[in-house]
Amino acid sequence: MDEELPHYKADKIRLHLKTCRDCRREIESLQLTDNFLAGLTEIESSDGFDVSFWDRIENIRRNGRLWSLNTIFSFRWRYYYASALIVILIVFSIMFYNRNPVPTVDDEIISEHLELFRDYEIINHLDLLENWDSINMLKVKS
């Protein structure tokens, strides 16, 4: 695109662009971006910008930290903190909402027959009653 490649490499790329639709779209996008940026006027930095910029870099290097409490609690970070707090509140509200589940049909049946379930010993030995017909036949024969 900038004609910085040697001719043999540029020819290979041109040949590839003839056959590859995706790469052709990508190069067209890059050309549009390059044309747009070329049309912008260059912004001149203010007097002393370079000096103040490098002074700030030197302060960071000297202090050994990039972050300070002022940058962490600056106004622009408040939106991130508020968003994180909202997400946390939503997660906790979902967790506590699901903490008390809605009764199921089985729960309703148990509550309707609560007197039967009070005798847990009988329920615990219900497996013995699975063969009730066979036991009853033995009783009749004897």
Side-chain angles (χ1 to χ4, degrees):
M1 194 170 88
D2 294 333
E3 298 184 18
E4 294 181 5
L5 290 175
H7 290 291
Y8 69 93
K9 287 186 179 180
D11 290 340
K12 285 183 180 179
I13 291 176
R14 284 188 196 99
L15 181 64
H16 176 75
L17 288 175
K18 286 182 182 179
T19 60
C20 183
R21 184 179 185 186
D22 292 336
C23 291
R24 196 170 44 248
R25 284 184 183 169
E26 187 68 27
I27 197 75
E28 289 170 359
S29 174
L30 289 171
Q31 286 171 339
L32 286 172
T33 304
D34 192 43
N35 291 338
F36 174 75
L37 292 175
L40 293 177
T41 57
E42 190 172 328
I43 300 173
E44 294 290 327
S45 61
S46 60
D47 292 337
F49 174 78
D50 293 342
V51 174
S52 67
F53 175 79
W54 290 112
D55 284 345
R56 289 180 74 186
I57 297 296
E58 185 59 35
N59 282 338
I60 291 170
R61 189 177 304 140
R62 200 174 325 123
N63 292 335
R65 64 175 191 247
L66 181 61
W67 296 93
S68 67
L69 288 178
N70 291 337
T71 57
I72 292 174
F73 295 110
S74 67
F75 184 72
R76 67 178 182 184
W77 286 96
R78 290 181 187 169
Y79 294 111
Y80 297 116
Y81 296 139
S83 301
L85 182 63
I86 289 170
V87 168
I88 290 170
L89 289 175
I90 289 172
V91 168
F92 277 115
S93 64
I94 289 171
M95 286 173 51
F96 284 113
Y97 176 77
N98 290 334
R99 192 173 189 184
N100 298 321
V102 177
T104 62
V105 174
D106 292 337
D107 294 335
E108 290 180 23
I109 291 172
I110 290 172
S111 68
E112 289 173 1
H113 299 90
L114 196 57
E115 291 177 17
L116 175 66
F117 292 112
R118 284 192 181 144
D119 283 332
Y120 182 72
E121 288 298 318
I122 295 172
I123 294 171
N124 197 23
H125 298 293
L126 278 179
D127 58 334
L128 298 175
L129 298 177
E130 285 180 1
N131 298 324
W132 179 252
D133 292 335
S134 301
I135 294 171
N136 214 7
M137 287 181 150
L138 289 174
K139 186 178 180 183
V140 171
K141 288 181 181 180
S142 48

